[in-house]
Each structure stands twice: as structure tokens, then as C-alpha cells.
Amino acid sequence: CTRQPVHHNTNVMLISLDPQDTRPIYIQIVDEVRRALVLGTLGPDDPLPSVRDLAVKLRVNPNTVSQAYRDLERQGMVYVRRGQGTYASPARTDGVARRMLAEGVAQRALSDARRNGLGADELIEAIRDYDNQHKREEAP
């Protein structure tokens, strides 16, 4: 898993691409931008790195980044200012973005669980048990 800070002006967005991940690279980029919006590391109207800059930093084909940005634009997560670049949409940094992020995490977790012979109910129970155990450990 490679975590590379992607700098753009004063904005720093952490992009994590995992070569072991079965998701296409452009989907990983989409998910990372969505995560940055939800966590607030990418705020409303913040610029995203140019396609070329991000492609160079991530060592991927610029077409891959373009595809990710087009997908994000279709989802309403970003908007394009002709000749100026791509920016985070203020309208989608709400609960909708959180829900989409949660669905992506759930999809990857369930896919991994199924590869290991576990069903959704077992995974949910294990997550709840793990969460409850760690809440007790964190309590003062």
C-alpha cells in the first residue's frame, strides 16, 4: 500500500493506492478523493491536483486520473472550471458522501470476508465485538 501526500497549493490530500487491491486504480482514486471530502482534508471549493500532476505523483497513466475525475464529476463530488481545474463540490461533502464512503468500505470488507469463507452476519458480529472490546479499552 503506497501512501503518498499529493500537494496542490496549500492543500494536502493523502492518496493511497494499493497494488494488491482488486479495484481498478481509477476507482481507488475516486474513493480516496471521497474519503478526503468526508474527513475534511479536502474542503468545499478546494482545488484538486491537475490530472498531469496527480498522474506523475501516483505514477499512473493520466487517462486513469481523468477517468476518476470524470466519475467524481458525474457523482457531483467535484466540478470543473474550464481552464482553471477541478474543485471539490460544496454540495456533496454532507451525509451523502459519508454514506457513499461507508458503502465502499462495506463492499471491500464483505468481499474480503467472502474470500475467507465468512458471511455478512459473521463479519458484522466480528466488527461489533471488536468495536465493543476497543471501546472498553479506551474508556478512562
Side-chain angles (χ1 to χ4, degrees):
C1 183
T2 58
R3 272 207 184 283
Q4 301 168 0
V6 177
H7 301 275
H8 187 73
N9 297 337
T10 59
N11 187 32
V12 176
M13 192 172 53
L14 214 55
I15 298 283
S16 175
L17 297 181
D18 183 357
Q20 306 301 317
D21 195 325
T22 57
R23 294 175 297 153
I25 298 294
Y26 87 94
I27 295 290
Q28 291 185 50
I29 294 169
V30 167
D31 288 346
E32 290 298 299
V33 171
R34 184 179 296 125
R35 184 176 61 82
L37 285 165
V38 169
L39 296 176
T41 54
L42 184 63
D45 299 312
D46 279 351
L48 274 67
S50 73
V51 167
R52 189 176 53 193
D53 286 349
L54 187 57
V56 167
K57 285 184 172 61
L58 295 178
R59 297 185 184 108
V60 300
N61 189 306
N63 291 332
T64 302
V65 177
S66 289
Q67 185 177 9
Y69 280 14
R70 281 192 308 272
D71 202 35
L72 286 161
E73 186 178 16
R74 270 193 303 274
Q75 295 174 26
M77 304 296 288
V78 301
Y79 64 93
V80 176
R81 287 187 195 150
R82 271 261 195 258
Q84 295 182 17
T86 304
Y87 296 82
S89 292
R92 296 303 298 264
T93 57
D94 57 7
V96 174
R98 281 188 79 75
R99 180 66 187 171
M100 291 173 81
L101 179 66
E103 286 175 5
V105 170
Q107 180 183 10
R108 290 188 300 278
L110 187 55
S111 175
D112 192 39
R114 286 184 177 144
R115 272 197 311 275
N116 287 287
L118 301 172
D121 291 339
E122 292 172 292
L123 176 61
I124 291 167
E125 183 180 341
I127 289 170
R128 284 193 177 120
D129 290 347
Y130 183 86
D131 187 46
N132 288 335
Q133 179 182 356
H134 283 81
K135 282 180 184 172
R136 284 192 298 272
E137 291 173 4
E138 293 171 2

